Amino acid sequence: IHLMPVYDFKSVDESKDEFNWGYDPQNYNVPEGSYSTDPSNGCSRVIEFKQMVQSLHSDGIGVIMDVVYNHTYESNSNLNKVVPFYYYRYNEEGSLSGGSGCGNDTKSERKMFSKYIVDSVVYWMKSYKLDGFRFDLMGLIDIKTMQKVENEIHKINPSAIIYGEGWSIKTATEELLTTQTRIKMIAKSFGASGSIAVFNDQTRDGIRGSVWEAKKPGYLYNPSDQECLEKVVFGLKGCESRFKSLSSSWTVKDASVINYASVHDNNTLYDKLKL
């Protein structure tokens, strides 16, 4: 099971019956209280989260947690209150970087934030017995930090699953970031079942059509569409292509690519076909 963010996020009042997807981090190392039976009791959220994981494990089901270290809900976050301006990326004119689409992009290449990310996932693994992590907008996080994540997580559990969105969002030097074309730079730890995987959006768009244009069909609906066909073939050939419609190849190994048609974003595959 892939849980969308369940750490403490900002946009809901925990005392009321409100819901949000959770992509607005406030406190990374605390479970979100709105999912607990008693948000006013700090112990409830911790105990119940652990009980949930334990119950799923007893049924043979692993638990992946979605983590969003690439931005915070607000710029004057708890991180910024500790060391002002240290934890964020800024544009040349001094404004906050907003490559995440949410503003307030964090700066993982800072030594202490890199350490914080690694310490955080290790804490969740050890304390809550999670089976892996899905990194939101992983392409905004530097590759050295993600290599440390891979090393430390697989020390705890060599079978842990780590994957994320490797979209190329240039908020820093391209060579710094964990994008699709650079995921092969992350080495698999000895004995680990895999390295770090990235989603293949080319296969997704080829099969189902554009996620940005709801009524633009893909190969399933219109097999004669040459561009969509090329994207499907790109996925079948392991992300290696010479098609002009595709900007780059990023052949990977060690189970480092996820071919998919639909996840939590955008219309479901069924809804897309109906549209």
Side-chain angles (χ1 to χ4, degrees), residues 26-199:
Q26 182 174 15
N27 296 304
Y28 285 108
N29 296 336
V30 181
E32 168 59 27
S34 62
Y35 292 124
S36 71
T37 58
D38 185 3
S40 65
N41 182 348
C43 292
S44 293
R45 64 184 71 193
V46 174
I47 293 170
E48 290 166 6
F49 192 110
K50 293 185 177 186
Q51 289 173 333
M52 172 191 66
V53 174
Q54 185 180 45
S55 179
L56 288 164
H57 281 174
S58 69
D59 286 336
I61 299 170
V63 183
I64 308 296
M65 180 175 167
D66 203 328
V67 288
V68 188
Y69 295 108
N70 62 80
H71 72 273
T72 56
Y73 177 78
E74 54 192 357
S75 58
N76 193 28
S77 64
N78 293 327
L79 293 172
N80 196 59
K81 291 172 184 176
V82 174
V83 186
F85 310 111
Y86 178 82
Y87 289 96
Y88 292 91
R89 289 193 184 127
Y90 292 88
N91 299 316
E92 289 184 1
E93 71 277 12
S95 61
L96 282 157
S97 170
S100 61
C102 305
N104 313 321
D105 294 346
T106 52
K107 192 167 185 175
S108 62
E109 60 270 32
R110 293 281 197 190
K111 182 176 181 179
M112 292 311 293
F113 190 46
S114 176
K115 183 180 188 306
Y116 181 91
I117 292 172
V118 176
D119 287 351
S120 179
V121 293
V122 167
Y123 167 72
W124 281 101
M125 281 286 290
K126 288 183 174 180
S127 295
Y128 293 90
K129 311 302 182 186
L130 295 175
D131 302 284
F133 299 91
R134 178 267 190 190
F135 280 76
D136 181 70
L137 296 181
M138 186 171 63
L140 288 173
I141 302 175
D142 72 285
I143 202 159
K144 289 183 178 180
T145 296
M146 290 309 302
Q147 179 69 76
K148 293 175 187 174
V149 166
E150 190 279 337
N151 292 342
E152 294 305 314
I153 290 302
H154 286 144
K155 280 182 186 177
I156 301 168
N157 179 3
S159 298
I161 299 170
I162 312 170
Y163 58 100
E165 296 173 312
W167 321 139
S168 179
I169 307 172
K170 298 178 182 178
T171 61
T173 306
E174 181 77 12
E175 289 71 28
L176 183 73
L177 304 173
T178 315
T179 58
Q180 290 169 326
T181 55
R182 291 183 53 75
I183 196 66
K184 57 191 171 188
M185 304 295 292
I186 295 182
K188 181 179 75 167
S189 294
F190 179 77
S193 57
S195 163
I196 295 180
V198 287
F199 289 107

